[in-house]
Amino acid sequence: GSLPKWVVNKSSQFLAPKAMKKMYKACLKYPEWKQKHDPHFKPWLFPEQSRLPALALSELSLQHADSLENIDESSLAESKEDHGEGSDEDSLT
């Protein structure tokens, strides 16, 4: 279901600033934390450090945006596995 606009607006007045303050405090502590936790591991700068499995280029296909506009997913059923336990959707109901 969807939430009434007033609920979203009211909660965003309190939740968004609180979340941003927590994020700001965590960001201030990050340089110190990173020095203690593998400081030279930066796969976002050095892709060769990535520990994720590589995909073969032959497995990739090119998709154009216009082919994605009319995807019909109405026949698909959602399950708890699709959302994972403790997802946001579970907590809203």
Side-chain angles (χ1 to χ4, degrees):
S2 61
L3 297 172
K5 289 180 183 180
W6 69 268
V7 172
V8 174
N9 292 338
K10 200 58 151 172
S11 63
S12 66
Q13 289 176 352
F14 299 104
L15 297 178
K18 190 174 183 178
M20 292 306 295
K21 285 178 187 175
K22 285 184 177 184
M23 179 78 76
Y24 177 74
K25 288 180 180 180
C27 290
L28 290 176
K29 296 176 183 177
Y30 179 75
E32 180 184 341
W33 178 88
K34 185 63 178 167
Q35 285 303 316
K36 296 176 183 176
H37 297 87
D38 208 358
H40 300 293
F41 181 67
K42 297 177 182 178
W44 56 92
L45 292 178
F46 309 108
E48 63 274 9
Q49 293 180 345
S50 178
R51 297 175 184 151
L52 297 173
L55 288 173
L57 290 177
S58 61
E59 293 182 31
L60 303 176
S61 64
L62 195 60
Q63 290 184 324
H64 297 282
D66 56 342
S67 69
L68 301 174
E69 290 179 8
N70 298 314
I71 296 174
D72 181 14
E73 296 180 342
S74 61
S75 63
L76 298 177
E78 292 186 14
S79 65
K80 278 203 178 243
E81 292 82 38
D82 292 343
H83 298 298
E85 292 184 17
S87 72
D88 290 341
E89 288 187 17
D90 292 338
S91 62
L92 292 176
T93 54

